[in-house]
């Protein structure tokens, strides 16, 4: 077993692990105490979290990483040297101070940043992110997480670590072998055929979500909508939380509520036009960071 730690005060803008992994932007992390998404205010906790690194990231077999934040340190345990993986997956290399400085001076945005200071965006594996957000329509974050956990247990590779068995998120070819009937049994509901067909597309090479990373932002969003069950909002989620398009602003229920109450001038009717307007209102280059703070703040009870 390898272990290590990263001092939080070495990171520009700090860090909050709980806010980052329980904010609703990632579904490949789990709390070791099985209380994921239970806390009313997801901030400042010291619980252990775990994820399974896919084999393509480790140049070998899948590897478990356990991590917690305590006493000013990000502590980790793994079967591999996890330092660089954590920097990448949790965007510890982002300069949060500089990003916050680029955020427009606005009461809602300032309040959201203050409430969840240290939350960072994530860089999830593209296929896992794509499937997670296909499953996200009209779902609470806890139920989305449950779906991804069941998919991993049913179709992913088991990985032994520290006396426990973990499960990697299924590779496209593993999930492509799933029948629609079995996916419905795993409580995916009407999303089952979307997940099945999308997995087939990726496994066959018909399309790959990571190919969008080389395109301009709006072209990348359009590319992702070729996957079954992926509309513009889901595409924006994958672009923001996996592929590094930090300007993306998924127009979910909470952001549309914020637009209606605070920024009605940004409602242009269609998705693309409204998206452009709210991205500009949120500061452009890092608008996706602003979106995620506002989303988490409103989802956890912040007043509109």
């Amino acid at each position: 077993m390898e272990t290590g730690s990263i001092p939080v005060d070495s990171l520009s803008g700090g860090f909050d692990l709980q806010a980052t992994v329980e904010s609703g932007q990632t579904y490949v992390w789990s709390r070791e105490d099985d209380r994921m998404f239970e806390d009313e205010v997801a901030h400042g906790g010291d619980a252990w979290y775990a994820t399974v690194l896919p084999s393509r990231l480790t140049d070998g077999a899948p590897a478990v990483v356990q991590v917690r934040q305590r006493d000013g340190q990000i502590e980790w345990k793994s079967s591999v040297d996890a330092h660089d993986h954590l920097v990448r997956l949790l965007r510890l290399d982002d300069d949060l101070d500089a990003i916050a400085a680029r955020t427009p001076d606005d009461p809602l945005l300032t309040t959201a940043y203050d409430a969840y200071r240290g939350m960072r965006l994530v860089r999830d594996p593209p296929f896992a992110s794509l499937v997670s957000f296909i499953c996200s329509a009209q779902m609470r974050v806890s139920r989305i997480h449950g779906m991804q956990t069941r998919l991993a247990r049913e179709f992913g590779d088991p990985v032994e670590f520290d006396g426990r068995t973990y499960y990697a998120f299924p590779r496209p070819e593993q999930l492509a072998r799933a029948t629609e009937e079995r996916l419905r049994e795993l409580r995916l509901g009407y999303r089952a055929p979307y997940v099945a067909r999308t997995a087939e597309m990726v496994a066959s090479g018909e399309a790959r979500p990571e190919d969008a990373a080389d395109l301009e932002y709006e072209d990348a969003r359009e590319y992702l909508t070729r996957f079954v069950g992926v509309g513009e909002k889901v595409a924006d989620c994958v672009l923001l939380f996996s592929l590094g398009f930090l300007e993306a602003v998924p127009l979910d229920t909470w952001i549309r509520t914020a637009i209606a109450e605070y920024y009605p001038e940004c409602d242009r009717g269609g998705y693309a036009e409204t998206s452009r307007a709210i991205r500009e209102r949120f500061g452009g280059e890092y608008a996706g960071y602003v979106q995620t703070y506002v989303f988490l703040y409103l989802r956890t009870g912040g007043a509109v």
Side-chain angles (χ1 to χ4, degrees):
M1 180 187 295
E2 298 199 36
T3 63
S5 64
I6 302 170
V8 173
D9 63 10
S10 70
L11 307 174
S12 176
F15 179 62
D16 189 278
L17 176 62
Q18 182 178 14
T20 299
V21 299
E22 292 198 49
S23 56
Q25 55 172 317
T26 176
Y27 299 96
V28 298
W29 290 86
S30 295
R31 274 175 65 154
E32 296 284 70
D33 61 5
D34 295 323
R35 297 188 59 194
M36 195 77 171
F37 298 116
E38 288 186 11
D39 291 349
E40 184 175 343
V41 178
H43 186 269
D46 61 1
W48 281 100
Y49 295 85
T51 193
V52 180
L53 302 174
S55 55
R56 68 176 184 80
L57 293 181
T58 63
D59 295 324
V64 175
V65 176
Q66 296 175 339
V67 62
R68 71 175 172 184
Q69 182 173 343
R70 188 178 67 165
D71 298 332
Q73 300 286 325
I74 304 167
E75 303 173 359
W76 60 265
K77 302 185 291 185
S78 182
S79 56
V80 299
D81 184 345
H83 178 279
D84 290 351
H85 293 295
L86 289 173
V87 169
R88 174 173 173 75
L89 294 174
L90 301 176
R91 300 194 70 98
L92 302 181
D93 49 352
D94 283 353
D95 186 338
L96 283 192
D97 285 336
I99 291 170
R102 297 285 296 275
T103 300
D105 185 12
D106 175 285
L108 174 62
L109 309 188
T110 299
T111 301
Y113 264 93
D114 288 345
Y116 287 101
R117 188 168 300 277
M119 185 198 70
R120 292 168 182 261
L121 296 184
V122 296
R123 290 187 182 100
D124 271 357
F127 181 65
S129 183
L130 178 64
V131 173
S132 294
F133 285 104
I134 288 175
C135 293
S136 70
Q138 301 177 351
M139 279 288 157
R140 298 190 305 274
V141 290
S142 58
R143 294 189 65 186
I144 303 167
H145 184 260
M147 290 179 186
Q148 308 322 301
T149 299
R150 291 190 292 274
L151 289 175
R153 286 182 175 273
E154 180 74 12
F155 302 110
D157 294 324
V159 185
E160 302 295 327
F161 180 73
D162 200 21
R164 293 184 59 179
T165 301
Y166 297 81
Y167 295 87
F169 193 82
R171 300 186 303 277
E173 59 271 21
Q174 292 175 313
L175 197 50
R177 293 194 289 269
T179 64
E180 180 181 333
E181 179 183 15
R182 184 59 185 136
L183 292 175
R184 288 185 182 276
E185 290 172 354
L186 295 175
R187 304 203 293 278
L188 267 66
Y190 70 84
R191 305 157 194 83
Y194 304 160
V195 170
R197 176 62 185 130
T198 289
E200 291 172 356
M201 293 174 69
V202 181
S204 69
E206 181 179 343
R208 303 187 312 158
E210 53 266 40
D211 288 347
D214 297 326
L215 303 175
E216 294 297 319
Y217 164 58
E218 293 198 356
D219 292 336
R221 186 172 64 197
E222 182 178 357
Y223 175 89
L224 290 179
T225 61
R226 71 182 57 193
F227 293 103
V228 180
V230 176
E232 291 169 307
K233 192 270 284 189
V234 168
D236 268 336
C237 290
V238 178
L239 294 176
L240 180 58
F241 304 133
S242 177
L243 298 178
F245 287 82
L246 301 187
E247 69 269 43
V249 176
L251 299 183
D252 56 42
T253 299
W254 294 110
I255 298 304
R256 288 190 180 277
T257 297
I259 290 172
E261 295 291 332
Y262 280 89
Y263 318 110
E265 73 281 1
C266 292
D267 187 351
R268 306 294 173 81
Y271 188 100
E273 295 78 11
T274 301
S275 173
R276 291 190 195 103
I278 195 64
R279 288 201 312 272
E280 182 177 346
R281 185 65 182 81
F282 282 177
E285 183 178 4
Y286 298 111
Y289 252 106
V290 178
Q291 181 271 349
T292 308
Y293 273 89
V294 172
F295 169 88
L296 179 58
Y297 175 68
L298 295 181
R299 184 179 68 78
T300 54
V304 181

